[in-house]
């Protein structure tokens, strides 16, 4: 029991004595503190004591494309915690290769009577996808919020990082280190975040380094959001003589580091690498990764707030909440060789 108390206290940010008071139903604990302790129980997988259980306000679906990229579990944890605090039960639905599609997962959640759905990096981010699926969902009376990827065709709240600003931060940092041949490795060009990052990169290369769109465009390489995708893109860029690679995900950045080392180059001595997301554990890679931190806690909480407003009958406007990313400088960037 002591170990459990310590775990709950650490998760909730309170003393073990406070946890004990809440679990035993004692008075003298602030409502917000009590909620933090109950949320910590839920997050850690402990059952609430029967007398402390609230009736669930309903199920809320969370659909992610996968869980191998650490950014998606990070979003899931923040969103699940925020929903639990409000009395909702999160239901995580993940697409897997050869498994259920986004549409099938959506149908499954609707059949189970969810109060709403949050989509992370779904088909709404794909400019070639049919956006009517979201209008049909709205027609069924199911509120929803979309994270990462904007479409003017979908009437719903969107939550995104400022991808253009992210690229400006990366190029400015590398330019200050003396790099002039900077590459960009990112996913397929049909996705909105990819298009925005490309626009931001090309504009920053022109403003910071004086390269035309055509000149800078030679240093843009599309691949997959995986370690292998990053390795393939970086290999192509290194063959074009870049001294630095900006990647659209931390997984791609790890692939870029592998590509550099396979060529006998050192990171950051010969090649600088920047990631995107600041995924958990990425500070402990070799070298620790310089990356653009996606403000996951703020974005996840904003998505939950917007969804709960929709559920409560005061819909958020059809608009996009855009969050500023942050450059986190670690050991994978250095002066140009």
């Amino acid at each position: 029991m002591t170990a459990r108390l310590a775990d709950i206290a650490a998760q909730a940010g309170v003393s073990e004595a406070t946890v004990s008071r809440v679990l035993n139903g004692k008075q003298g604990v602030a409502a917000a503190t009590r909620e933090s302790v109950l949320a910590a129980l839920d997050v850690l997988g402990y059952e609430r004591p029967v007398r402390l259980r609230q009736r669930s306000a309903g199920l809320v679906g969370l659909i992610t494309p996968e869980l191998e990229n650490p950014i998606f579990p990070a979003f899931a944890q923040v969103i699940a915690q925020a929903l639990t605090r409000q009395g909702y039960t999160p239901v995580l639905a993940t697409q897997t290769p050869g498994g259920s599609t986004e549409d099938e997962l959506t149908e499954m959640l609707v059949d189970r009577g969810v109060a709403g759905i949050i989509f992370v990096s779904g088909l709404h981010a794909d400019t070639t996808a049919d956006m009517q699926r979201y209008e049909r969902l709205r027609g069924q009376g199911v509120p929803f919020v979309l994270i990462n990827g904007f479409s003017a065709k979908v009437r719903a709240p969107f939550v995104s990082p400022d991808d253009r600003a992210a690229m400006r931060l990366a190029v400015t940092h590398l330019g200050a280190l003396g790099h002039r041949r900077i590459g960009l490795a990112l996913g397929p060009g049909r996705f909105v975040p990819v298009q925005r990052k490309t626009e931001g990169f090309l504009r920053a290369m022109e403003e910071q380094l004086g390269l035309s769109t055509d000149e800078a465009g030679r240093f843009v390489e599309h691949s997959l959001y995986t370690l292998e995708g990053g390795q393939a893109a970086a290999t192509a860029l290194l063959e074009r003589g870049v001294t630095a690679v900006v990647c659209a995900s931390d997984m791609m950045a790890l692939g870029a580091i592998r590509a550099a080392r396979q060529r006998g180059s050192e990171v950051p001595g010969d090649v600088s690498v920047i990631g995107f997301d600041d995924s958990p554990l990425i500070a402990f890679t070799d070298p620790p990764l310089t990356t653009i931190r996606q403000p996951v806690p703020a974005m996840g909480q904003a998505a939950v707030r917007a969804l709960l407003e929709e559920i409560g009958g005061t819909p958020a406007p059809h608009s996009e909440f855009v969050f500023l990313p942050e450059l986190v400088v670690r050991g994978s960037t250095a002066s140009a060789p």
Side-chain angles (χ1 to χ4, degrees):
M1 183 63 179
T2 307
R4 190 176 80 165
L5 281 181
D7 291 343
I8 298 165
Q11 177 70 31
V14 299
S15 69
E16 290 183 37
T18 300
V19 173
S20 181
R21 292 183 72 82
V22 172
L23 295 182
N24 291 309
K26 298 284 178 64
Q27 299 302 309
V29 181
T33 304
R34 188 179 300 276
E35 280 304 311
S36 294
V37 171
L38 295 178
L41 282 174
D42 297 333
V43 169
L44 293 171
Y46 294 128
E47 279 195 29
R48 296 185 181 194
V50 175
R51 64 181 171 278
L52 297 177
R53 288 179 200 166
Q54 292 177 312
R55 186 186 177 282
S56 170
L59 304 176
V60 170
L62 171 61
I63 299 181
T64 66
E66 42 135 333
L67 291 176
E68 288 184 6
N69 187 328
I71 195 63
F72 296 124
F75 267 116
Q77 183 172 359
V78 168
I79 290 167
Q81 210 163 354
L83 286 168
T84 302
R85 281 201 179 114
Q86 298 299 323
Y88 287 86
T89 302
V91 180
L92 178 61
T94 304
Q95 299 171 63
T96 51
S100 299
T101 64
E102 180 181 311
D103 290 338
E104 289 168 343
L105 293 174
T106 301
E107 186 179 348
M108 176 198 75
L109 291 169
V110 172
D111 287 346
R112 279 160 178 73
V114 292
I117 300 176
I118 296 175
F119 295 87
V120 182
S121 300
L123 289 168
H124 62 276
D126 186 342
T127 57
T128 64
D130 180 7
M131 296 299 154
Q132 282 301 308
R133 55 175 44 88
Y134 299 109
E135 283 306 301
R136 287 193 292 273
L137 183 60
R138 180 167 293 286
Q140 292 173 289
V142 180
F144 58 92
V145 174
L146 306 129
I147 296 178
N148 275 343
F150 177 78
S151 172
K153 299 174 184 174
V154 181
R155 293 177 296 143
F158 288 83
V159 177
S160 306
D162 191 332
D163 289 301
R164 298 181 184 92
M167 294 301 101
R168 189 163 60 247
L169 286 170
V171 172
T172 301
H173 172 62
L174 292 169
L177 291 171
H179 293 274
R180 293 294 175 267
R181 297 170 72 84
I182 301 169
L184 175 63
L186 71 183
R190 67 181 187 275
F191 293 107
V192 172
V194 171
Q195 295 172 1
R196 289 176 168 180
K197 286 184 178 74
T198 304
E199 289 168 18
F201 175 79
L202 295 176
R203 190 178 307 157
M205 291 288 278
E206 183 177 12
E207 291 173 357
Q208 303 285 332
L209 306 179
L211 270 67
S212 70
T213 298
D214 287 343
E215 289 172 315
R218 288 185 54 244
F219 300 134
V220 176
E221 188 70 21
H222 295 279
S223 186
L224 300 175
Y225 281 113
T226 60
L227 192 145
E228 293 77 14
Q231 183 177 352
T235 298
L237 291 167
L238 290 168
E239 286 172 359
R240 291 171 212 160
V242 302
T243 61
V245 182
V246 181
C247 298
S249 78
D250 290 335
M251 296 296 285
M252 293 187 82
L254 296 181
I257 291 172
R258 182 195 279 181
R261 287 178 174 159
Q262 281 190 342
R263 293 169 59 92
S265 299
E266 291 187 4
V267 177
D270 302 309
V271 180
S272 287
V273 176
I274 296 182
F276 189 94
D277 287 333
D278 196 26
S279 312
L281 303 181
I282 213 67
F284 305 103
T285 56
D286 177 27
L289 189 66
T290 295
T291 189
I292 305 288
R293 176 178 291 157
Q294 193 172 176
V296 171
M299 289 173 63
Q301 288 159 15
V304 170
R305 278 197 303 273
L307 184 70
L308 296 187
E309 285 177 9
E310 295 261 329
I311 292 171
T314 54
H318 171 218
S319 60
E320 185 178 23
F321 302 96
V322 180
F323 289 78
L324 278 175
E326 174 189 354
L327 176 70
V328 183
V329 179
R330 298 194 182 102
S332 64
T333 51
S335 298

